[in-house]
Amino acid sequence: MKLIGPVARELENEQLVESIQHLYRQVDGIYGYRRITMTINRKREKEGLEKVNKKQIYRLMQICDLEAVIRRRPKKYRKGKPNYVAENVLAREFTSEKPNQKWCTDVTESKYGNGKEAYLSAIIDHYDKSIVSYILGHYNNNLVFKTIRPAINQLSKDVSPLLHSDRGYQYTPKEFKRIMEKAEMVHSMSRVGRCIDNGPIEAFWGTLKIEKYYLHKFDSLEALKHAIDTYILFYNNERYQETLNGLSPLGYRVQTA
C-alpha cells in the first residue's frame, strides 16, 4: 500500500535526513546544500526515484544544524557520560492545544569579532512558536540553567509544561533533573542522531540566522546581543506567520486566550 499525505512526507524526510547526515560525515562536512542535493539526486536517479528540491535539502540541513565547514577548523569535542537521559515523550507531536503545554529548548553557536564564540540558549512554546526565555553568553556550561529558571518562574502554580531537548551534556546533569522534578515538569529527549525530533527550535535557529545573523558582522558580544534582542522582540510581536492565521506569535496568543 502506497502511503500518501503527511505520513509519506515524514518518512521521506526521515530517509533524507539519514542520507544527508551519512554523506556529510563521508565528505568531512565540506559539502553545502547544493552539492548535497546534486549527490543525493544522482543516486536517486540511478535508483529510479524522483529528484528532490534543493530547498528541501537546505531546510533539512538547517534543522540538523549542518553547513559546509570549508575554511573552518573542525572542533574537537570530549564526550562525557550523561548522568541521566529521558525518553522521547514528545515523539514529534509539535502541536499544542494551549500555551505552556509543550516547550522545546536548545543551544546554538554564533561568532563575533575575530572568530570568538558565543552561545545562545532558548526555549520555544509549541503553541504559538513564541520564544519563552533566552540568554546569550560566552560559555555554554551554565546557559541552560539561566534559561529554564526564569521560564519556570513566570508560570502559574498549576502549569507544568513538557520540556523537550536533545541529549547534549547541558541537559543530562543531576542538577538539571532536580530543576525539572521540583517544577513537576516532564523532560523529553530526542533520540540519538535524530535532530529532527527537536524540529521547532531547530527551525527557529534557521530563521534567526537567515533573517538576522548572516546579514551582519558583529564586532563585539554586545553588538551580537543587541541584534538578537531586537530580532526576538520583532519575532515574538511583529513577525506574522501563515500557520498562526497571519498573526505574530504573541498576537496569536492574545487573540486565542
Side-chain angles (χ1 to χ4, degrees):
M1 182 178 68
K2 185 177 180 181
L3 295 172
I4 58 174
V7 175
R9 287 194 294 273
E10 181 75 13
L11 288 173
E12 182 188 41
N13 282 338
E14 217 174 290
Q15 292 166 356
L16 281 174
V17 165
E18 290 179 2
S19 298
I20 290 167
Q21 291 175 327
H22 174 74
L23 179 57
Y24 188 85
R25 289 192 298 267
Q26 197 175 40
V27 299
D28 294 327
I30 66 170
Y31 281 5
Y33 74 94
R34 293 183 180 87
R35 289 189 185 277
I36 292 280
T37 303
M38 286 189 290
T39 306
I40 286 177
N41 277 337
R42 183 163 294 182
K43 182 180 179 183
R44 289 175 69 91
E45 193 174 9
K46 290 179 181 178
E47 295 173 351
L49 300 174
E50 291 185 7
K51 291 184 177 181
V52 292
N53 191 289
K54 63 183 180 181
K55 291 182 180 179
Q56 185 178 6
I57 298 295
Y58 176 80
R59 180 177 62 82
L60 292 174
M61 289 183 69
Q62 286 288 315
I63 289 174
C64 295
D65 200 24
L66 297 177
E67 60 179 6
V69 295
I70 295 174
R71 297 190 183 94
R72 297 191 312 181
R73 282 187 174 183
K75 287 188 168 184
K76 294 182 180 179
Y77 293 100
R78 179 180 296 175
K79 292 185 178 180
K81 186 177 180 181
N83 288 311
Y84 90 102
V85 293
E87 295 299 318
N88 183 22
V89 181
L90 182 64
R92 298 189 191 173
E93 292 291 334
F94 296 141
T95 57
S96 180
E97 295 178 355
K98 57 185 179 180
N100 299 321
Q101 188 176 49
K102 299 176 186 176
W103 291 348
C104 59
T105 186
D106 192 24
V107 178
T108 189
E109 179 187 306
S110 302
K111 301 283 188 182
Y112 69 94
N114 189 21
K116 294 180 181 177
E117 296 172 348
Y119 299 91
L120 176 63
S121 170
I123 296 172
I124 194 170
D125 192 320
H126 287 216
Y127 176 70
D128 52 16
K129 304 302 182 290
S130 62
I131 300 303
V132 176
S133 175
Y134 71 96
I135 188 166
L136 180 75
H138 286 290
Y139 306 106
N140 195 356
N141 292 343
N142 296 316
L143 283 185
V144 297
F145 301 110
K146 295 177 181 179
T147 312
I148 189 65
R149 286 186 177 116
I152 291 172
N153 289 340
Q154 69 185 11
L155 292 171
S156 303
K157 290 184 179 180
D158 58 341
V159 176
S160 300
L162 176 147
L163 179 73
H164 185 87
S165 71
D166 60 24
R167 297 193 178 199
Y169 71 90
Q170 308 98 320
Y171 303 106
T172 58
K174 292 179 181 178
E175 183 181 352
F176 195 84
K177 184 181 181 182
R178 283 194 292 269
I179 291 172
M180 297 295 293
E181 289 175 344
K182 185 177 179 181
E184 297 182 348
M185 292 172 63
V186 174
H187 193 179
S188 170
M189 286 186 179
S190 299
R191 294 165 294 171
V192 176
R194 301 281 184 165
C195 55
I196 203 168
D197 284 352
N198 208 9
I201 192 71
E202 299 288 359
F204 173 73
W205 293 149
T207 300
L208 169 67
K209 289 182 178 181
I210 290 169
E211 296 186 357
K212 174 60 71 172
Y213 177 70
Y214 293 145
L215 299 179
H216 306 277
K217 290 185 178 181
F218 306 99
D219 296 328
S220 64
L221 184 67
E222 290 71 24
L224 178 60
K225 183 180 183 303
H226 176 74
I228 290 171
D229 288 343
T230 302
Y231 181 81
I232 290 180
L233 183 66
F234 160 76
Y235 172 87
N236 274 346
N237 293 280
E238 299 179 45
R239 189 181 184 276
Y240 304 130
Q241 301 186 33
E242 288 185 8
T243 56
L244 300 177
N245 299 331
L247 299 170
S248 68
L250 295 185
Y252 180 80
R253 179 173 296 213
V254 169
Q255 189 177 88
T256 56

